[in-house]
Amino acid sequence: MVIKTRPVRQRVLPVLMLGSALAMPTFAQEAAPQPADQQPAPAAAPAPLTPPGTEPQVQIVGTGEGVVRSITVRGTERLEPETVRSYLNLSVGDSYDRNRTDQALKALYASELFSDATIRDENGALTIEVRENPVINRIIIEGAKRVKEDKVREEIRLAPRQIFTRSKTRADVGRILELYRRSGRFAAAVEPKIIQLEQNRVDVIFEMTEGPKSKVKQINILGNTKFKDKKVRGQMATKQARPWRFFTSNDTYDPDRLAYDQQKLRQYYLTQGYADFRVVSSVAELMPDKQDFVVTYVLDEGERYKFGEIDLQSEIRDIKAEEFKELIKIETGDWYNAQLIENTVETLSETAGLLGYAFADVRPQFDRDKDKLEMNVTFAIGEVPRVYVERVQIAGNTITVDDVIRREFRLAEGDAFNSLKVKRSSDRIKSLGYFQERLEIEQKPGSAPDRIILEANVEERPTGELQVSAGFSSLERFILSLSVRQRNFRGRGQELRLSANLSNFSRSVEAGFTEPYLFGRNLALGVDIFTRDFRSFRFTANNTRDTTYTQVSTGFQVRVGFPITEYWAMSMRYGLSLEKIDLDRDLFFQNGVCSPLLAGRFLCEALGKRTVSSVGYSLIFNNLNNNIRPTAGQRFSLSQDLAGIPGGVKYVRTRANYDRYHALFGSGFILQLAGEGGYITGYGGSDVLLTDRFFLGEPQMRGFRIRGVGPRVLRRPFDANGVPITDRNSVLDDALGGKAYYFAKAEIQIPLGAGGAELGLRPSIFADVGAVWSVKTPVLTCTNGPTTARPDCIAYDVNNPSSGFEEVFLGNSPSPRVSVGIGVSWNSPFGPFRFDLAKALKTQPGDDTQLFQFNVGTQF
């Protein structure tokens, strides 16, 4: 350490004061770990704070023995002389010798109050001369950029107005270096300095040289004969540093991760039959540049075992060993697999829990036959009492009332314990969306061996949303949205929402309220009111958009829902809306009448006002583990709506949806399988209008434009020679929708590790398949060309061939359209982003494909 002498707030060059015990040469404690076997060796000891020959010395001047006649203290500034005397363990009249005075000096230094001390003996008159350690004025941190200064200060025990000591400084330096090591910066150095001020005060400065993150340059595997190096490295969490691994931090050196890798290796080999596997040694060597590491593992794989005899023993009366053996999925002769052992223990424990034995003790007993290379396993279930729920406790809820949480529990006080119901209760509470995602119901022993306490420790999250967003999407172009939503209104689980949206092709204002438990009963009631202005468009020449028709809807809907069983529920609804379909009169009308030549007969037929009065129901099965972000379970719904009661538009619409989620590979991969389909038909002589049909395309089916799949009319203009132009960018495209459709997808969400999770990235790969069809062939509009002569066409203008056109009807086929691609969801600080790159593999004539799609929202 260096002493810098300066006036207050004026820094000067460092000065080394060798004559003072405060003098400290500049030093840097470097992290030079030399790991061996399990963990890296500790960093080298720090350099001494004072150069050789300048350490504080035990100084005793005089004969050093006799009887104490007096004790005089000199040199104190802040301390009272009596305080100094209290550390000596010497009083007037005591006899003393060289040993007692030596112990007195050591006691003074041990107090860490003094930087120098001397005892002078003049025939029993002892004079204690001391120099007090300075007082810290402030702590200054310089150079902390990669690690936040607040984090560094948490490791420093020195503080303003405390006594400065060298030992505390050394300890603080060690803790700071350990902080940098935990963040992967093993080349970091810390240089403490002091600046001496007046009145025996000092400023303490910690100068950081952070250095780059230490990475794992190479992983060497020795002793492996059963698996190749690449296969062994693939089981580790630590990866070798490579340029393409910029989204992950798994290539940085972390001793804790290396210890975890040894566990991962053992787990892998144990699942492959190598019951005697062990890691002989694990050594991490710092490369000469003191930046990166080379890690070497020495393995002893051992012999490969098979399962021998498998047996089950039970001391619980309700669990019959012969009956429960069917739960054991291990067969004699199979390769030994420790994961199967764990799965069997878990299955037996859960089954015992279903019978009310919450604390079932299932222990596998192993008998290794090294001659036959077989592992005999006996699962022993120890005797425990059947358990009942003593009470249900809820803690941590400051807004949500207890009843909202308690009604999600599938167990009540006095019920027999059931592990499946405990897990279901946890899933239902998490699905509310009010609390942390990793919520678990803790099981605690009750007042007696056969009693259990269920405790839910919740951490409430904000449930109110006030959002103003602006963005751009490939579907609706410019978007402006304002919404207010409270999902836990008054802490009673009620939902209240109000929203307004504006884009180039849609405008809407909606309000809604939902009471999930009406009058304390498991009956949900909801009311929605809305006004929506939708503007359909078509792609015109040069890939521009042209508004075709507008649909203005104003109305309301009343919803009622109730459960049938734990997983089945039903909802019923009634809706009433007034709708008006219109066209741009400047573009599509002639003489005040819709012109088939300009708009097409199918659009002219859709014009007018109408009333939609409909009743409907939905039958729903849902056992997802989380309704917001599921990773397991399935959801199915069947819905039907009947319009025309008591009057207005008449149709029957039926839809079915199915979703299934499944975890893959046990490492964050989530597979989603989804399918849906629907059919709508008119009755009472009414046909299904254009605005009530099904449409398919972006964003539901990727690889196609909005409404890019299914029946459509293409209007092809004539060129200068009167020949129809087939280039898609030069034709008008009107999607007609269909009365029947189906759609299915398979999507795998790919984990990116800690780095990707911190950035909010969730990539996926997917395959979509679907179709829309079943619509009557419309009456087409055309003009007679030089080679055509249809009586229903308008006369051909010989003087202006390019003014002619023809319309063709395409895409009315149930044949599947197929697309595959990759996508990325990014929950950025500016709002949600979604990017999809999809290739249409199978299409039908008339389908409109699109390679890239994106949606962006910005919150402010």
Side-chain angles (χ1 to χ4, degrees), residues 259-470:
Y260 174 66
D261 285 338
Q262 295 183 50
Q263 299 177 15
K264 293 274 288 182
L265 288 177
R266 179 166 174 76
Q267 290 174 0
Y268 175 71
Y269 271 88
L270 287 178
T271 59
Q272 303 300 315
Y274 297 92
D276 296 328
F277 171 83
R278 66 190 183 97
V279 178
V280 178
S281 66
S282 166
V283 179
E285 298 175 294
L286 190 61
M287 298 182 69
D289 59 5
K290 294 186 178 181
Q291 291 187 6
D292 298 329
F293 282 84
V294 175
V295 182
T296 302
Y297 289 92
V298 179
L299 311 181
D300 180 6
E301 295 177 315
E303 299 293 337
R304 194 178 190 188
Y305 285 76
K306 290 186 175 182
F307 281 113
E309 295 182 4
I310 307 298
D311 196 11
L312 174 64
Q313 298 176 357
S314 172
E315 298 179 1
I316 299 178
R317 181 184 59 186
D318 295 336
I319 298 180
K320 307 299 183 182
E322 293 301 322
E323 297 175 359
F324 275 70
K325 278 186 178 180
E326 297 180 359
L327 299 175
I328 302 177
K329 305 302 181 182
I330 302 174
E331 299 291 340
T332 299
D334 291 345
W335 289 112
Y336 175 78
N337 188 329
Q339 186 63 51
L340 293 179
I341 301 290
E342 293 183 11
N343 293 344
T344 303
V345 170
E346 184 177 351
T347 300
L348 293 174
S349 298
E350 289 182 352
T351 305
L354 293 176
L355 298 176
Y357 298 94
F359 306 110
D361 182 18
V362 182
R363 296 186 181 182
Q365 300 173 353
F366 300 94
D367 180 18
R368 181 187 277 104
D369 189 336
K370 294 188 176 181
D371 295 330
K372 296 181 179 180
L373 294 180
E374 290 183 347
M375 186 73 72
N376 303 313
V377 184
T378 299
F379 295 94
I381 304 177
E383 184 178 5
V384 292
R386 195 173 187 183
V387 178
Y388 296 86
V389 177
E390 180 175 341
R391 66 178 181 272
V392 175
Q393 297 181 169
I394 300 171
N397 53 317
T398 58
I399 298 175
T400 307
V401 298
D402 280 4
D403 287 345
V404 173
I405 304 174
R406 286 184 180 275
R407 65 196 185 198
E408 302 301 329
F409 270 88
R410 304 295 95 182
L411 288 169
E413 285 83 352
D415 289 350
F417 177 84
N418 186 307
S419 59
L420 181 62
K421 290 185 177 181
V422 173
K423 184 179 183 303
R424 177 60 179 167
S425 300
S426 176
D427 291 343
R428 287 179 65 94
I429 294 173
K430 286 187 287 188
S431 294
L432 292 174
Y434 308 157
F435 312 108
Q436 75 274 23
E437 290 185 7
R438 296 184 178 180
L439 182 147
E440 297 294 338
I441 297 177
E442 189 175 354
Q443 303 170 23
K444 295 182 176 181
S447 58
D450 62 345
R451 293 291 182 266
I452 189 173
I453 298 173
L454 302 180
E455 182 174 281
N457 292 296
V458 300
E459 298 176 10
E460 293 198 286
R461 300 189 300 184
T463 56
E465 302 172 8
L466 172 61
Q467 180 178 353
V468 178
S469 62

Side-chain angles (χ1 to χ4, degrees), residues 352-601:
L354 293 176
L355 298 176
Y357 298 94
F359 306 110
D361 182 18
V362 182
R363 296 186 181 182
Q365 300 173 353
F366 300 94
D367 180 18
R368 181 187 277 104
D369 189 336
K370 294 188 176 181
D371 295 330
K372 296 181 179 180
L373 294 180
E374 290 183 347
M375 186 73 72
N376 303 313
V377 184
T378 299
F379 295 94
I381 304 177
E383 184 178 5
V384 292
R386 195 173 187 183
V387 178
Y388 296 86
V389 177
E390 180 175 341
R391 66 178 181 272
V392 175
Q393 297 181 169
I394 300 171
N397 53 317
T398 58
I399 298 175
T400 307
V401 298
D402 280 4
D403 287 345
V404 173
I405 304 174
R406 286 184 180 275
R407 65 196 185 198
E408 302 301 329
F409 270 88
R410 304 295 95 182
L411 288 169
E413 285 83 352
D415 289 350
F417 177 84
N418 186 307
S419 59
L420 181 62
K421 290 185 177 181
V422 173
K423 184 179 183 303
R424 177 60 179 167
S425 300
S426 176
D427 291 343
R428 287 179 65 94
I429 294 173
K430 286 187 287 188
S431 294
L432 292 174
Y434 308 157
F435 312 108
Q436 75 274 23
E437 290 185 7
R438 296 184 178 180
L439 182 147
E440 297 294 338
I441 297 177
E442 189 175 354
Q443 303 170 23
K444 295 182 176 181
S447 58
D450 62 345
R451 293 291 182 266
I452 189 173
I453 298 173
L454 302 180
E455 182 174 281
N457 292 296
V458 300
E459 298 176 10
E460 293 198 286
R461 300 189 300 184
T463 56
E465 302 172 8
L466 172 61
Q467 180 178 353
V468 178
S469 62
F472 184 87
S473 77
S474 58
L475 180 62
E476 296 190 83
R477 302 296 171 87
F478 178 76
I479 304 171
L480 179 64
S481 175
L482 170 64
S483 65
V484 180
R485 183 187 182 197
Q486 175 54 261
R487 294 182 290 110
N488 189 14
F489 184 57
R490 300 189 303 162
R492 298 183 178 275
Q494 301 165 337
E495 181 175 333
L496 180 66
R497 63 187 182 277
L498 174 66
S499 66
N501 296 278
L502 173 66
S503 72
N504 281 4
F505 297 99
S506 66
R507 301 171 185 174
S508 66
V509 177
E510 301 184 24
F513 176 80
T514 302
E515 167 56 69
Y517 272 72
L518 186 64
F519 306 126
R521 299 178 179 273
N522 200 353
L523 179 68
L525 175 66
V527 178
D528 303 303
I529 58 175
F530 58 86
T531 177
R532 304 177 183 129
D533 183 355
F534 173 72
R535 301 186 178 189
S536 181
F537 60 86
R538 63 186 177 186
F539 291 96
T540 62
N542 301 321
N543 204 29
T544 59
R545 300 189 184 194
D546 183 18
T547 300
T548 53
Y549 67 87
T550 61
Q551 179 182 2
V552 180
S553 303
T554 302
F556 71 90
Q557 185 181 75
V558 179
R559 299 170 280 107
V560 177
F562 55 89
I564 301 175
T565 66
E566 177 62 28
Y567 299 108
W568 285 94
M570 175 172 278
S571 66
M572 296 181 290
R573 56 191 168 270
Y574 172 76
L576 176 65
S577 64
L578 303 177
E579 299 185 356
K580 179 181 179 182
I581 311 298
D582 201 359
L583 293 173
D584 189 327
R585 296 179 178 271
D586 293 333
L587 294 178
F588 302 107
F589 276 59
Q590 286 184 341
N591 300 321
V593 179
C594 179
S595 170
L597 181 64
L598 300 176
R601 289 190 176 92

Side-chain angles (χ1 to χ4, degrees), residues 609-623:
K609 296 180 180 180
R610 57 183 182 149
T611 301
V612 180
S613 176
S614 66
V615 294
Y617 74 91
S618 294
L619 185 64
I620 304 167
F621 174 84
N622 185 353
N623 69 350

Side-chain angles (χ1 to χ4, degrees), residues 13 17 47 82 108 295-296 349 356-357 371 411 549 631 649 666 791 802 833:
L13 294 175
M17 302 174 62
E82 192 59 35
L108 290 176
V295 182
T296 302
S349 298
Y357 298 94
D371 295 330
L411 288 169
Y549 67 87
T631 59
V649 177
S802 61
F833 285 62

